Amino acid sequence: GQQVMQIPQYQHVQEGEDFTTYCNSSTTLSNIQWYKQRPGGHPVFLIQLVKSGEVKKQKRLTFQFGEAKKNSSLHITATQTTDVGTYFCAATSSGSARQLTFGSGTQLTVLP
Amino acid sequence: DGGITQSPKYLFRKEGQNVTLSCEQNLNHDAMYWYRQDPGQGLRLIYYSQIVNDFQKGDIAEGYSVSREKKESFPLTVTSAQKNPTAFYLCASIEMGRGRTEAFFGQGTRLTVV
């Protein structure tokens, strides 16, 4: 199936520092989604990006979709302890049998 | 109250036994997916279904089976052929349409082999 690589696997930051996670694909993506999973919980949808070069913001979170639609990033400004969790990107394959593939996730720890 | 319901939340299985994990949704979504998550790792796709009476293998289908007899239900059976079944299992239904893709997850089932 489609491969989506995500880095870093782990990130520890001091509260107030910024955080970024990156996703890369060898193939062009039709769209990309981002999810957050709190410790002990289930993934929750954050946003979907569709257009080449698209940038969307949700308060302190900024999401970008690359010009070639092969990479994406999530940036959190001034992290808070409530940002703790694992952030996943996900992409669907093209065609009639749509496989939703998740990246390996970035586990964010915010130190108070 | 719409959503995805997985049951049970915790499940213990003896080696050599088959177990079935339940997943029900009332969101009227056509597509449903099963993922496996191991500690500190990402989500790996087991099986998915785009429509009733049809399903496809994901990346790690060996040792698992599914059925999709109703739109609302997509149960997963972990068979004795699955050599390392202890994991967190997540079911999702996915809204696909009008240019939007969004997965809605259940609370998950933690399966432990004892």
Side-chain angles (χ1 to χ4, degrees), chain B residues 8-113:
Chain B
K9 189 173 182 179
Y10 299 95
L11 186 57
F12 296 87
R13 187 194 94 173
K14 292 182 180 179
E15 285 192 28
Q17 283 184 335
N18 293 353
V19 289
T20 297
L21 282 57
S22 170
C23 179
E24 303 279 331
Q25 56 106 352
N26 60 4
L27 299 169
N28 200 34
H29 292 160
D30 287 318
M32 296 186 74
Y33 290 64
W34 273 105
Y35 293 91
R36 169 182 172 140
Q37 187 174 34
D38 293 286
Q41 298 195 23
L43 297 133
R44 292 186 290 168
L45 182 62
I46 305 172
Y47 268 99
Y48 62 109
S49 169
Q50 301 287 306
I51 197 167
V52 174
N53 292 323
D54 189 37
F55 47 83
Q56 288 78 38
K57 292 182 178 181
D59 299 318
I60 57 165
E62 185 175 351
Y64 300 97
S65 66
V66 293
S67 63
R68 188 84 187 278
E69 297 177 1
K70 299 186 300 181
K71 187 176 186 178
E72 301 80 14
S73 179
F74 190 40
L76 172 75
T77 297
V78 184
T79 75
S80 57
Q82 171 50 237
K83 298 305 178 188
N84 185 22
T86 295
F88 186 44
Y89 291 88
L90 286 159
C91 176
S93 76
I94 298 182
E95 178 182 357
M96 287 188 186
R98 300 187 300 272
R100 179 177 178 84
T101 301
E102 179 177 347
F104 294 80
F105 284 87
Q107 299 293 322
T109 294
R110 291 193 184 278
L111 173 63
T112 303
V113 173

